[in-house]
Amino acid sequence: MKIRNTVLTCTLVLATWATMLAQEAGTFTHYHLNPVLLNPGATGFEEQHEFLFNYRNKWAAFDGAPRTFTMLYNGPAGERQGIGGQLLTKRIGKWRSFQATASYAYRFQADQFDFGIGLSTGFQQL
């Protein structure tokens, strides 16, 4: 009986956690174009200034349809440093959110490969 309750509790926690993560899926729909969305260590890695603008309007015919706007910058800030920023707004019915994120990365160079370590911080208003 105790094992069954433990398994049931773990299943409910994992299902809730997976649902919460799924709500942020819109943020990461372009991660293959700009890996900074998932990894702040990639900020400035391409050694060029990159901009990403994304507007998404799902189910546009319905009132209160989900709308998302994303604006992202990522680029070098020196020989081995990179900086970036992201603004994200979401509207779903009367629910609105705003998110601002800043990222910084430092790149290490070795003989055969490069790698970066990054930090990211943000602000979110619901």
Side-chain angles (χ1 to χ4, degrees):
M1 189 69 161
K2 186 176 182 180
I3 293 174
R4 184 173 19 149
N5 288 342
T6 303
V7 169
L8 181 61
T9 302
C10 290
T11 304
L12 289 173
V13 168
L14 288 174
T16 303
W17 182 59
T19 303
M20 289 188 303
L21 289 177
Q23 300 306 314
E24 295 300 319
T27 306
F28 303 119
T29 56
H30 290 342
Y31 69 90
H32 59 282
L33 296 174
N34 203 328
V36 175
L37 291 170
L38 295 176
N39 180 7
T43 304
F45 218 77
E46 296 293 326
E47 297 184 10
Q48 62 186 2
H49 300 278
E50 298 177 334
F51 293 92
L52 173 71
F53 298 96
N54 182 35
Y55 177 73
R56 187 173 183 176
N57 189 4
K58 295 176 81 174
W59 307 311
F62 296 99
D63 289 335
R67 288 187 286 173
T68 306
F69 176 75
T70 305
M71 183 172 61
L72 186 131
Y73 166 76
N74 151 36
E79 189 174 318
R80 293 185 177 194
Q81 299 175 28
I83 58 170
Q86 177 185 7
L87 298 175
L88 171 72
T89 61
K90 292 183 190 179
R91 280 189 189 175
I92 302 173
K94 293 186 179 194
W95 181 78
R96 295 175 187 211
S97 72
F98 171 77
Q99 182 178 357
T101 306
S103 57
Y104 169 81
Y106 187 82
R107 182 174 53 238
F108 297 92
Q109 295 176 331
D111 292 336
Q112 298 177 350
F113 60 90
D114 295 345
F115 66 96
I117 296 176
L119 300 171
S120 182
T121 187
F123 167 79
Q124 185 172 10
Q125 179 183 25
L126 299 173

